[in-house]
């Protein structure tokens, strides 16, 4: 298995792949790999001749220093897992200096307002960090297609906008949310949950499913109130936000309109660990 740490080395390999007209599928990750990542990688393997995955905990997308400090880092296990999936996968695991040069800071992006909603409102600067690191990684890896999970649905929409703004000829592919049997959406942060939090966290998806079920007959306001009630005085889970938003611009709604696609979005704290999830409503 080839593991690159230096941008110049992987660029030389990518230049070689280009000479051979190979299609490149790219799965950017922050490591602590789980089945959800592996599903993205398997899809990339099915649809491309070569697959590159990056493992890089990007400091500029963390608005909370504690979260950055505690983010799980499991590079050796990740590499072993990827190699058992396929020794052909190419890994790029750079240092911050390789990605950013001397100054680890993000560029300010205008994603047409997508960046101001939900995650953007609660994690200031987060999407500037995501946009900056992905622009750098896309420039190094030059993929044909790049794969992102719908768990971070807002990120997926923003990445589609990013390639438009940066005029990068990359197909951005969204993949369905991968869940535990309990319904809990897979996330690297789940590794930080204790037993009680793990037992309680599946309630998040149960609530989303109930909202989907009731969406045809109840208003967005009534549903939002109902969700808040479910978390009021909950021992383990604290609701940060629940929103029903239009898929097109991610703006929260009070009233439904005809011929419009909606999704429900939720962020919840289990102790220090922040969990997000979402569901298509129609
Ligand atoms: O979704 C993630 O893991 C990160 O936001 C990404 C896309 C790898 C950028 O650092």
């Amino acid at each position: 298995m080839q593991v690159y740490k230096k941008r110049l080395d992987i660029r030389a390999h990518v230049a070689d792949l280009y000479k051979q007209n190979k299609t490149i599928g790219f799965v950017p990750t922050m490591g602590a790999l789980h089945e959800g990542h592996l599903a993205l990688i398997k899809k990339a393997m099915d649809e491309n001749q070569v697959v590159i995955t990056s493992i890089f905990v990007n400091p500029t997308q963390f608005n909370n220093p504690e979260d950055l400090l505690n983010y799980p880092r499991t590079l050796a296990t990740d590499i072993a897992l990827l190699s058992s999936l396929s020794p052909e996968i190419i890994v790029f695991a750079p240092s911050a200096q390789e990605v950013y040069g001397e100054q680890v800071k993000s560029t300010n992006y205008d994603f047409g307002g997508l960046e101001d909603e939900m995650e953007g409102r609660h994690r200031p600067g987060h999407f500037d960090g995501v946009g900056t690191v992905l622009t750098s990684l896309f420039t190094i890896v030059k993929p044909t297609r790049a794969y992102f999970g719908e768990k971070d649905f807002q990120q997926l929409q923003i990445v589609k906008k990013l390639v438009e703004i940066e005029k990068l000829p990359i197909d951005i592919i969204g993949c369905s949310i991968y869940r535990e049997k309990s319904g809990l959406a897979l996330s690297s942060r789940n590794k930080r949950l204790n037993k009680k939090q793990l037992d309680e966290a599946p309630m998040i998806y149960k609530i989303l499913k109930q909202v989907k079920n009731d969406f045809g007959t109840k208003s967005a306001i009534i549903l939002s109130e109902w969700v808040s009630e479910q978390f009021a005085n909950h021992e383990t889970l604290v609701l940060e936000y629940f929103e029903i938003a239009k898929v097109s611009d991610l703006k929260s709604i009070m009233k439904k309109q005809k011929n419009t696609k909606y999704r429900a979005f939720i962020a919840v704290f289990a102790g220090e660990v922040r969990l997000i999830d979402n569901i298509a409503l129609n």
Side-chain angles (χ1 to χ4, degrees):
M1 160 158 264
Q2 281 159 304
V3 181
Y4 290 100
K5 302 230 159 169
K6 302 272 176 211
R7 76 155 58 205
L8 283 180
D9 294 342
I10 193 161
R11 280 183 84 150
H13 190 137
V14 167
D16 211 41
L17 294 171
Y18 260 73
K19 274 190 209 138
Q20 299 171 53
N21 279 322
K22 301 268 192 202
T23 53
I24 302 174
F26 179 44
V27 183
T29 81
M30 298 208 295
L33 301 181
H34 51 65
E35 284 297 328
H37 294 115
L38 298 189
L40 299 182
I41 293 170
K42 283 180 198 156
K43 189 166 166 61
M45 283 163 62
D46 286 346
E47 296 178 356
N48 302 275
Q49 290 161 306
V50 178
V51 170
I52 301 180
T53 187
S54 60
I55 298 179
F56 175 62
V57 181
N58 173 34
T60 63
Q61 70 186 75
F62 286 81
N63 59 313
N64 174 351
E66 289 283 300
D67 192 23
L68 173 60
L69 200 68
N70 292 321
Y71 200 86
R73 287 161 174 87
T74 56
L75 185 59
T77 323
D78 291 343
I79 290 173
L81 192 63
L82 291 170
S83 149
S84 67
L85 185 65
S86 163
E88 306 282 296
I89 298 166
I90 298 166
V91 178
F92 182 43
S95 64
Q97 204 188 1
E98 284 298 314
V99 177
Y100 285 95
E102 288 312 316
Q103 276 202 314
V104 183
K105 69 178 187 94
S106 45
T107 308
N108 289 332
Y109 283 95
D110 176 356
F111 294 116
L114 291 173
E115 72 280 22
D116 299 327
E117 306 301 326
M118 300 177 290
E119 290 301 285
R121 195 173 312 121
H122 291 272
R123 303 182 66 188
H126 171 66
F127 288 119
D128 282 339
V130 171
T132 308
V133 76
L134 287 178
T135 304
S136 171
L137 292 171
F138 286 161
T139 311
I140 297 167
V141 172
K142 294 192 187 312
T144 321
R145 303 182 184 87
Y147 296 79
F148 295 85
E150 286 187 345
K151 183 177 77 66
D152 299 294
F153 190 84
Q154 188 173 7
Q155 168 173 277
L156 171 63
Q157 301 300 80
I158 280 182
V159 179
K160 286 181 181 164
K161 192 82 186 167
L162 175 72
V163 294
E164 203 181 294
I165 294 170
E166 299 283 358
K167 298 190 175 54
L168 297 169
I170 305 170
D171 273 349
I172 301 302
I173 319 276
C175 306
S176 344
I177 301 177
Y178 206 94
R179 298 182 181 279
E180 305 268 11
K181 276 205 188 81
S182 65
L184 177 64
L186 258 59
S187 160
S188 301
R189 288 188 171 85
N190 295 355
K191 290 195 167 76
R192 294 179 52 208
L193 297 174
N194 64 30
K195 165 93 176 62
K196 188 167 164 52
Q197 291 164 340
L198 256 181
D199 287 347
E200 303 277 351
M203 169 182 160
I204 298 168
Y205 184 51
K206 284 200 188 103
I207 285 180
L208 288 180
K209 279 198 301 185
Q210 190 61 49
V211 167
K212 183 182 174 92
N213 198 51
D214 294 346
F215 186 67
T217 53
K218 294 190 177 145
S219 73
I221 296 180
I222 296 283
L223 288 170
S224 301
E225 281 170 6
W226 177 79
V227 172
S228 297
E229 279 161 23
Q230 306 313 299
F231 287 97
N233 309 319
H234 195 283
E235 258 185 42
T236 319
L237 305 175
V238 177
L239 179 66
E240 185 178 43
Y241 68 77
F242 169 81
E243 291 190 21
I244 293 179
K246 281 183 279 173
V247 168
S248 55
D249 58 9
L250 301 181
K251 295 234 179 294
S252 183
I253 59 144
M254 295 290 165
K255 254 185 137 178
K256 293 176 241 173
Q257 284 162 352
K258 277 190 189 151
N259 304 323
T260 309
K261 290 270 173 223
Y262 297 104
R263 262 181 122 91
F265 297 85
I266 193 164
V268 169
F269 277 98
E272 301 286 298
V273 186
R274 190 168 178 278
L275 303 169
I276 59 170
D277 202 346
N278 68 87
I279 196 166
L281 295 176
N282 56 351

